[in-house]
mmCIF file of all heavy atoms in Angstrom:
data_model
loop_
_atom_site.group_PDB
_atom_site.id
_atom_site.type_symbol
_atom_site.label_atom_id
_atom_site.label_comp_id
_atom_site.label_asym_id
_atom_site.label_seq_id
_atom_site.Cartn_x
_atom_site.Cartn_y
_atom_site.Cartn_z
ATOM 1 N N ALA A 67 -125.947 -16.646 -115.574
ATOM 2 C CA ALA A 67 -125.872 -16.210 -116.989
ATOM 3 C C ALA A 67 -125.668 -17.429 -117.903
ATOM 4 O O ALA A 67 -126.151 -17.445 -119.041
ATOM 5 C CB ALA A 67 -124.717 -15.228 -117.158
ATOM 6 N N GLU A 68 -124.968 -18.436 -117.423
ATOM 7 C CA GLU A 68 -124.745 -19.666 -118.239
ATOM 8 C C GLU A 68 -125.722 -20.746 -117.826
ATOM 9 O O GLU A 68 -125.459 -21.931 -118.057
ATOM 10 C CB GLU A 68 -123.324 -20.134 -118.039
ATOM 11 C CG GLU A 68 -122.245 -19.154 -118.496
ATOM 12 C CD GLU A 68 -122.317 -18.929 -120.000
ATOM 13 O OE1 GLU A 68 -122.225 -19.933 -120.760
ATOM 14 O OE2 GLU A 68 -122.535 -17.782 -120.438
ATOM 15 N N GLY A 69 -126.834 -20.364 -117.239
ATOM 16 C CA GLY A 69 -127.696 -21.363 -116.598
ATOM 17 C C GLY A 69 -128.799 -21.891 -117.497
ATOM 18 O O GLY A 69 -128.928 -21.545 -118.682
ATOM 19 N N LEU A 70 -129.622 -22.740 -116.914
ATOM 20 C CA LEU A 70 -130.639 -23.468 -117.667
ATOM 21 C C LEU A 70 -131.744 -22.572 -118.191
ATOM 22 O O LEU A 70 -132.189 -22.695 -119.322
ATOM 23 C CB LEU A 70 -131.237 -24.570 -116.777
ATOM 24 C CG LEU A 70 -130.252 -25.641 -116.279
ATOM 25 C CD1 LEU A 70 -130.973 -26.604 -115.328
ATOM 26 C CD2 LEU A 70 -129.682 -26.426 -117.473
ATOM 27 N N VAL A 71 -132.192 -21.659 -117.343
ATOM 28 C CA VAL A 71 -133.355 -20.865 -117.748
ATOM 29 C C VAL A 71 -133.008 -19.953 -118.941
ATOM 30 O O VAL A 71 -133.806 -19.795 -119.877
ATOM 31 C CB VAL A 71 -133.906 -20.023 -116.565
ATOM 32 C CG1 VAL A 71 -134.953 -19.032 -117.012
ATOM 33 C CG2 VAL A 71 -134.478 -20.967 -115.485
ATOM 34 N N ALA A 72 -131.785 -19.429 -118.939
ATOM 35 C CA ALA A 72 -131.394 -18.547 -120.024
ATOM 36 C C ALA A 72 -131.202 -19.307 -121.337
ATOM 37 O O ALA A 72 -131.385 -18.717 -122.418
ATOM 38 C CB ALA A 72 -130.090 -17.825 -119.650
ATOM 39 N N HIS A 73 -130.914 -20.582 -121.252
ATOM 40 C CA HIS A 73 -130.513 -21.301 -122.475
ATOM 41 C C HIS A 73 -131.401 -22.474 -122.881
ATOM 42 O O HIS A 73 -131.189 -23.076 -123.923
ATOM 43 C CB HIS A 73 -129.050 -21.754 -122.346
ATOM 44 C CG HIS A 73 -128.104 -20.609 -122.181
ATOM 45 N ND1 HIS A 73 -127.739 -19.770 -123.216
ATOM 46 C CD2 HIS A 73 -127.515 -20.084 -121.052
ATOM 47 C CE1 HIS A 73 -126.923 -18.817 -122.775
ATOM 48 N NE2 HIS A 73 -126.764 -18.973 -121.459
ATOM 49 N N ALA A 74 -132.379 -22.783 -122.036
ATOM 50 C CA ALA A 74 -133.226 -23.942 -122.392
ATOM 51 C C ALA A 74 -134.107 -23.589 -123.590
ATOM 52 O O ALA A 74 -134.361 -22.422 -123.874
ATOM 53 C CB ALA A 74 -134.086 -24.327 -121.187
ATOM 54 N N LYS A 75 -134.561 -24.651 -124.280
ATOM 55 C CA LYS A 75 -135.418 -24.442 -125.452
ATOM 56 C C LYS A 75 -136.822 -24.024 -124.989
ATOM 57 O O LYS A 75 -137.317 -24.467 -123.958
ATOM 58 C CB LYS A 75 -135.544 -25.781 -126.205
ATOM 59 C CG LYS A 75 -134.217 -26.267 -126.761
ATOM 60 C CD LYS A 75 -134.421 -27.395 -127.771
ATOM 61 C CE LYS A 75 -134.263 -28.764 -127.138
ATOM 62 N NZ LYS A 75 -134.298 -29.878 -128.126
ATOM 63 N N GLU A 76 -137.458 -23.201 -125.781
ATOM 64 C CA GLU A 76 -138.851 -22.885 -125.534
ATOM 65 C C GLU A 76 -139.675 -24.150 -125.499
ATOM 66 O O GLU A 76 -139.442 -25.051 -126.321
ATOM 67 C CB GLU A 76 -139.416 -21.942 -126.618
ATOM 68 C CG GLU A 76 -139.190 -20.487 -126.288
ATOM 69 C CD GLU A 76 -140.205 -19.586 -127.007
ATOM 70 O OE1 GLU A 76 -141.345 -20.047 -127.249
ATOM 71 O OE2 GLU A 76 -139.833 -18.455 -127.305
ATOM 72 N N GLY A 77 -140.589 -24.224 -124.541
ATOM 73 C CA GLY A 77 -141.423 -25.417 -124.463
ATOM 74 C C GLY A 77 -140.807 -26.603 -123.765
ATOM 75 O O GLY A 77 -141.417 -27.654 -123.638
ATOM 76 N N SER A 78 -139.598 -26.400 -123.236
ATOM 77 C CA SER A 78 -138.960 -27.506 -122.528
ATOM 78 C C SER A 78 -139.403 -27.524 -121.042
ATOM 79 O O SER A 78 -140.080 -26.598 -120.571
ATOM 80 C CB SER A 78 -137.445 -27.438 -122.624
ATOM 81 O OG SER A 78 -136.974 -26.261 -122.018
ATOM 82 N N TYR A 79 -139.004 -28.569 -120.372
ATOM 83 C CA TYR A 79 -139.367 -28.771 -118.952
ATOM 84 C C TYR A 79 -138.122 -28.838 -118.101
ATOM 85 O O TYR A 79 -137.213 -29.620 -118.408
ATOM 86 C CB TYR A 79 -140.155 -30.077 -118.784
ATOM 87 C CG TYR A 79 -141.462 -30.117 -119.516
ATOM 88 C CD1 TYR A 79 -141.499 -30.441 -120.871
ATOM 89 C CD2 TYR A 79 -142.667 -29.817 -118.878
ATOM 90 C CE1 TYR A 79 -142.712 -30.497 -121.561
ATOM 91 C CE2 TYR A 79 -143.877 -29.868 -119.569
ATOM 92 C CZ TYR A 79 -143.883 -30.199 -120.889
ATOM 93 O OH TYR A 79 -145.071 -30.251 -121.571
ATOM 94 N N LEU A 80 -138.082 -28.075 -117.033
ATOM 95 C CA LEU A 80 -136.970 -28.123 -116.085
ATOM 96 C C LEU A 80 -137.485 -28.640 -114.755
ATOM 97 O O LEU A 80 -138.419 -28.054 -114.175
ATOM 98 C CB LEU A 80 -136.355 -26.728 -115.897
ATOM 99 C CG LEU A 80 -135.991 -25.940 -117.148
ATOM 100 C CD1 LEU A 80 -135.334 -24.601 -116.754
ATOM 101 C CD2 LEU A 80 -135.055 -26.731 -118.062
ATOM 102 N N ILE A 81 -136.878 -29.710 -114.272
ATOM 103 C CA ILE A 81 -137.360 -30.330 -113.031
ATOM 104 C C ILE A 81 -136.235 -30.334 -112.006
ATOM 105 O O ILE A 81 -135.204 -30.979 -112.213
ATOM 106 C CB ILE A 81 -137.792 -31.788 -113.292
ATOM 107 C CG1 ILE A 81 -138.846 -31.869 -114.383
ATOM 108 C CG2 ILE A 81 -138.298 -32.421 -111.983
ATOM 109 C CD1 ILE A 81 -139.170 -33.289 -114.835
ATOM 110 N N ASP A 82 -136.424 -29.616 -110.914
ATOM 111 C CA ASP A 82 -135.373 -29.627 -109.872
ATOM 112 C C ASP A 82 -135.744 -30.603 -108.767
ATOM 113 O O ASP A 82 -136.729 -30.403 -108.037
ATOM 114 C CB ASP A 82 -135.172 -28.226 -109.305
ATOM 115 C CG ASP A 82 -134.015 -28.236 -108.293
ATOM 116 O OD1 ASP A 82 -133.098 -29.074 -108.450
ATOM 117 O OD2 ASP A 82 -134.027 -27.391 -107.373
ATOM 118 N N MET A 83 -134.954 -31.642 -108.604
ATOM 119 C CA MET A 83 -135.218 -32.651 -107.586
ATOM 120 C C MET A 83 -134.314 -32.497 -106.366
ATOM 121 O O MET A 83 -134.370 -33.303 -105.427
ATOM 122 C CB MET A 83 -135.085 -34.043 -108.216
ATOM 123 C CG MET A 83 -136.110 -34.188 -109.380
ATOM 124 S SD MET A 83 -136.240 -35.854 -110.118
ATOM 125 C CE MET A 83 -137.267 -36.680 -108.957
ATOM 126 N N THR A 84 -133.481 -31.437 -106.364
ATOM 127 C CA THR A 84 -132.738 -31.077 -105.156
ATOM 128 C C THR A 84 -133.722 -30.683 -104.058
ATOM 129 O O THR A 84 -134.768 -30.145 -104.359
ATOM 130 C CB THR A 84 -131.906 -29.794 -105.476
ATOM 131 O OG1 THR A 84 -131.251 -29.953 -106.741
ATOM 132 C CG2 THR A 84 -130.893 -29.518 -104.367
ATOM 133 N N THR A 85 -133.375 -30.972 -102.800
ATOM 134 C CA THR A 85 -134.124 -30.349 -101.708
ATOM 135 C C THR A 85 -133.612 -28.918 -101.574
ATOM 136 O O THR A 85 -132.435 -28.684 -101.299
ATOM 137 C CB THR A 85 -133.961 -31.112 -100.387
ATOM 138 O OG1 THR A 85 -134.486 -32.409 -100.537
ATOM 139 C CG2 THR A 85 -134.643 -30.402 -99.260
ATOM 140 N N SER A 86 -134.491 -27.975 -101.822
ATOM 141 C CA SER A 86 -134.066 -26.579 -101.930
ATOM 142 C C SER A 86 -135.160 -25.657 -101.389
ATOM 143 O O SER A 86 -136.154 -26.121 -100.843
ATOM 144 C CB SER A 86 -133.718 -26.288 -103.414
ATOM 145 O OG SER A 86 -133.437 -24.935 -103.615
ATOM 146 N N SER A 87 -134.962 -24.376 -101.588
ATOM 147 C CA SER A 87 -135.876 -23.392 -101.008
ATOM 148 C C SER A 87 -137.185 -23.294 -101.821
ATOM 149 O O SER A 87 -137.157 -23.137 -103.033
ATOM 150 C CB SER A 87 -135.172 -22.053 -100.982
ATOM 151 O OG SER A 87 -136.081 -20.990 -101.121
ATOM 152 N N PRO A 88 -138.340 -23.345 -101.126
ATOM 153 C CA PRO A 88 -139.605 -23.161 -101.814
ATOM 154 C C PRO A 88 -139.678 -21.806 -102.540
ATOM 155 O O PRO A 88 -140.207 -21.700 -103.647
ATOM 156 C CB PRO A 88 -140.655 -23.226 -100.704
ATOM 157 C CG PRO A 88 -139.985 -23.890 -99.554
ATOM 158 C CD PRO A 88 -138.531 -23.581 -99.690
ATOM 159 N N GLN A 89 -139.149 -20.769 -101.883
ATOM 160 C CA GLN A 89 -139.205 -19.426 -102.461
ATOM 161 C C GLN A 89 -138.382 -19.359 -103.727
ATOM 162 O O GLN A 89 -138.755 -18.696 -104.711
ATOM 163 C CB GLN A 89 -138.749 -18.401 -101.432
ATOM 164 C CG GLN A 89 -139.710 -18.217 -100.241
ATOM 165 C CD GLN A 89 -139.654 -19.376 -99.224
ATOM 166 O OE1 GLN A 89 -138.657 -20.083 -99.136
ATOM 167 N NE2 GLN A 89 -140.733 -19.556 -98.484
ATOM 168 N N LEU A 90 -137.221 -20.056 -103.720
ATOM 169 C CA LEU A 90 -136.377 -20.075 -104.933
ATOM 170 C C LEU A 90 -137.108 -20.831 -106.062
ATOM 171 O O LEU A 90 -137.045 -20.410 -107.227
ATOM 172 C CB LEU A 90 -135.034 -20.744 -104.597
ATOM 173 C CG LEU A 90 -134.083 -20.908 -105.763
ATOM 174 C CD1 LEU A 90 -133.751 -19.573 -106.424
ATOM 175 C CD2 LEU A 90 -132.783 -21.599 -105.282
ATOM 176 N N ALA A 91 -137.798 -21.891 -105.707
ATOM 177 C CA ALA A 91 -138.560 -22.621 -106.749
ATOM 178 C C ALA A 91 -139.570 -21.710 -107.397
ATOM 179 O O ALA A 91 -139.797 -21.746 -108.620
ATOM 180 C CB ALA A 91 -139.233 -23.853 -106.119
ATOM 181 N N GLN A 92 -140.199 -20.850 -106.575
ATOM 182 C CA GLN A 92 -141.211 -19.950 -107.134
ATOM 183 C C GLN A 92 -140.557 -18.894 -108.017
ATOM 184 O O GLN A 92 -141.083 -18.545 -109.092
ATOM 185 C CB GLN A 92 -141.976 -19.246 -105.972
ATOM 186 C CG GLN A 92 -142.904 -20.253 -105.247
ATOM 187 C CD GLN A 92 -143.273 -19.843 -103.836
ATOM 188 O OE1 GLN A 92 -142.822 -18.800 -103.337
ATOM 189 N NE2 GLN A 92 -144.042 -20.682 -103.164
ATOM 190 N N LYS A 93 -139.399 -18.419 -107.613
ATOM 191 C CA LYS A 93 -138.667 -17.428 -108.404
ATOM 192 C C LYS A 93 -138.246 -18.025 -109.739
ATOM 193 O O LYS A 93 -138.353 -17.401 -110.795
ATOM 194 C CB LYS A 93 -137.453 -16.948 -107.617
ATOM 195 C CG LYS A 93 -136.618 -15.856 -108.288
ATOM 196 C CD LYS A 93 -135.466 -15.441 -107.382
ATOM 197 C CE LYS A 93 -134.475 -14.530 -108.091
ATOM 198 N NZ LYS A 93 -133.260 -14.339 -107.262
ATOM 199 N N ILE A 94 -137.773 -19.247 -109.707
ATOM 200 C CA ILE A 94 -137.335 -19.933 -110.929
ATOM 201 C C ILE A 94 -138.535 -20.099 -111.869
ATOM 202 O O ILE A 94 -138.478 -19.871 -113.073
ATOM 203 C CB ILE A 94 -136.708 -21.322 -110.617
ATOM 204 C CG1 ILE A 94 -135.328 -21.101 -109.971
ATOM 205 C CG2 ILE A 94 -136.597 -22.171 -111.864
ATOM 206 C CD1 ILE A 94 -134.700 -22.357 -109.401
ATOM 207 N N GLU A 95 -139.701 -20.473 -111.303
ATOM 208 C CA GLU A 95 -140.879 -20.632 -112.185
ATOM 209 C C GLU A 95 -141.233 -19.346 -112.875
ATOM 210 O O GLU A 95 -141.528 -19.308 -114.073
ATOM 211 C CB GLU A 95 -142.053 -21.161 -111.391
ATOM 212 C CG GLU A 95 -143.185 -21.537 -112.316
ATOM 213 C CD GLU A 95 -144.540 -21.674 -111.649
ATOM 214 O OE1 GLU A 95 -144.942 -20.785 -110.866
ATOM 215 O OE2 GLU A 95 -145.225 -22.677 -111.916
ATOM 216 N N ARG A 96 -141.247 -18.242 -112.063
ATOM 217 C CA ARG A 96 -141.632 -16.962 -112.666
ATOM 218 C C ARG A 96 -140.672 -16.576 -113.799
ATOM 219 O O ARG A 96 -141.072 -16.140 -114.841
ATOM 220 C CB ARG A 96 -141.609 -15.858 -111.604
ATOM 221 C CG ARG A 96 -142.792 -15.882 -110.624
ATOM 222 C CD ARG A 96 -142.866 -14.611 -109.801
ATOM 223 N NE ARG A 96 -141.661 -14.316 -109.043
ATOM 224 C CZ ARG A 96 -141.397 -14.795 -107.814
ATOM 225 N NH1 ARG A 96 -142.281 -15.563 -107.202
ATOM 226 N NH2 ARG A 96 -140.264 -14.472 -107.220
ATOM 227 N N THR A 97 -139.372 -16.754 -113.537
ATOM 228 C CA THR A 97 -138.392 -16.345 -114.517
ATOM 229 C C THR A 97 -138.475 -17.228 -115.777
ATOM 230 O O THR A 97 -138.413 -16.734 -116.912
ATOM 231 C CB THR A 97 -136.967 -16.449 -113.916
ATOM 232 O OG1 THR A 97 -136.972 -15.857 -112.641
ATOM 233 C CG2 THR A 97 -135.913 -15.794 -114.799
ATOM 234 N N ALA A 98 -138.668 -18.520 -115.550
ATOM 235 C CA ALA A 98 -138.705 -19.439 -116.700
ATOM 236 C C ALA A 98 -139.962 -19.219 -117.533
ATOM 237 O O ALA A 98 -139.944 -19.377 -118.749
ATOM 238 C CB ALA A 98 -138.651 -20.875 -116.177
ATOM 239 N N ALA A 99 -141.050 -18.838 -116.859
ATOM 240 C CA ALA A 99 -142.331 -18.645 -117.571
ATOM 241 C C ALA A 99 -142.171 -17.576 -118.632
ATOM 242 O O ALA A 99 -142.828 -17.631 -119.690
ATOM 243 C CB ALA A 99 -143.446 -18.318 -116.594
ATOM 244 N N GLU A 100 -141.346 -16.579 -118.388
ATOM 245 C CA GLU A 100 -141.147 -15.497 -119.376
ATOM 246 C C GLU A 100 -140.575 -16.020 -120.688
ATOM 247 O O GLU A 100 -140.737 -15.429 -121.719
ATOM 248 C CB GLU A 100 -140.169 -14.452 -118.776
ATOM 249 C CG GLU A 100 -140.760 -13.692 -117.600
ATOM 250 C CD GLU A 100 -139.706 -12.873 -116.864
ATOM 251 O OE1 GLU A 100 -138.575 -12.736 -117.367
ATOM 252 O OE2 GLU A 100 -140.021 -12.390 -115.743
ATOM 253 N N ARG A 101 -139.901 -17.161 -120.611
ATOM 254 C CA ARG A 101 -139.342 -17.765 -121.832
ATOM 255 C C ARG A 101 -140.142 -18.990 -122.270
ATOM 256 O O ARG A 101 -139.699 -19.785 -123.072
ATOM 257 C CB ARG A 101 -137.874 -18.146 -121.604
ATOM 258 C CG ARG A 101 -136.945 -16.949 -121.362
ATOM 259 C CD ARG A 101 -135.485 -17.320 -121.706
ATOM 260 N NE ARG A 101 -135.409 -17.857 -123.039
ATOM 261 C CZ ARG A 101 -134.920 -19.068 -123.312
ATOM 262 N NH1 ARG A 101 -134.444 -19.848 -122.385
ATOM 263 N NH2 ARG A 101 -134.881 -19.503 -124.579
ATOM 264 N N ASN A 102 -141.352 -19.124 -121.705
ATOM 265 C CA ASN A 102 -142.233 -20.250 -122.070
ATOM 266 C C ASN A 102 -141.598 -21.599 -121.757
ATOM 267 O O ASN A 102 -141.643 -22.532 -122.542
ATOM 268 C CB ASN A 102 -142.629 -20.153 -123.549
ATOM 269 C CG ASN A 102 -143.795 -21.073 -123.881
ATOM 270 O OD1 ASN A 102 -144.615 -21.388 -122.992
ATOM 271 N ND2 ASN A 102 -143.885 -21.504 -125.134
ATOM 272 N N ILE A 103 -140.957 -21.655 -120.626
ATOM 273 C CA ILE A 103 -140.332 -22.899 -120.146
ATOM 274 C C ILE A 103 -141.078 -23.304 -118.871
ATOM 275 O O ILE A 103 -141.283 -22.474 -117.989
ATOM 276 C CB ILE A 103 -138.833 -22.689 -119.842
ATOM 277 C CG1 ILE A 103 -138.078 -22.350 -121.129
ATOM 278 C CG2 ILE A 103 -138.246 -23.913 -119.157
ATOM 279 C CD1 ILE A 103 -136.723 -21.746 -120.886
ATOM 280 N N ALA A 104 -141.446 -24.551 -118.777
ATOM 281 C CA ALA A 104 -142.182 -25.053 -117.596
ATOM 282 C C ALA A 104 -141.170 -25.572 -116.548
ATOM 283 O O ALA A 104 -140.161 -26.193 -116.916
ATOM 284 C CB ALA A 104 -143.119 -26.175 -117.953
ATOM 285 N N THR A 105 -141.412 -25.291 -115.296
ATOM 286 C CA THR A 105 -140.555 -25.809 -114.232
ATOM 287 C C THR A 105 -141.363 -26.557 -113.196
ATOM 288 O O THR A 105 -142.543 -26.219 -112.943
ATOM 289 C CB THR A 105 -139.764 -24.676 -113.525
ATOM 290 O OG1 THR A 105 -140.719 -23.833 -112.869
ATOM 291 C CG2 THR A 105 -138.953 -23.862 -114.521
ATOM 292 N N LEU A 106 -140.734 -27.532 -112.593
ATOM 293 C CA LEU A 106 -141.326 -28.260 -111.471
ATOM 294 C C LEU A 106 -140.310 -28.392 -110.371
ATOM 295 O O LEU A 106 -139.122 -28.573 -110.645
ATOM 296 C CB LEU A 106 -141.770 -29.676 -111.890
ATOM 297 C CG LEU A 106 -142.894 -29.774 -112.943
ATOM 298 C CD1 LEU A 106 -143.012 -31.199 -113.471
ATOM 299 C CD2 LEU A 106 -144.240 -29.330 -112.338
#
Side-chain angles (χ1 to χ4, degrees):
Chain A
E68 297 296 302
L70 298 175
V71 171
H73 298 285
K75 297 193 264 187
E76 271 204 30
S78 63
Y79 297 83
L80 309 183
I81 305 172
D82 184 27
M83 301 186 80
T84 315
T85 296
S86 173
S87 149
Q89 291 75 24
L90 177 57
Q92 289 158 0
K93 183 178 171 189
I94 288 170
E95 189 198 47
R96 285 193 303 273
T97 313
E100 293 168 10
R101 294 202 55 237
N102 195 26
I103 296 163
T105 64
L106 294 168

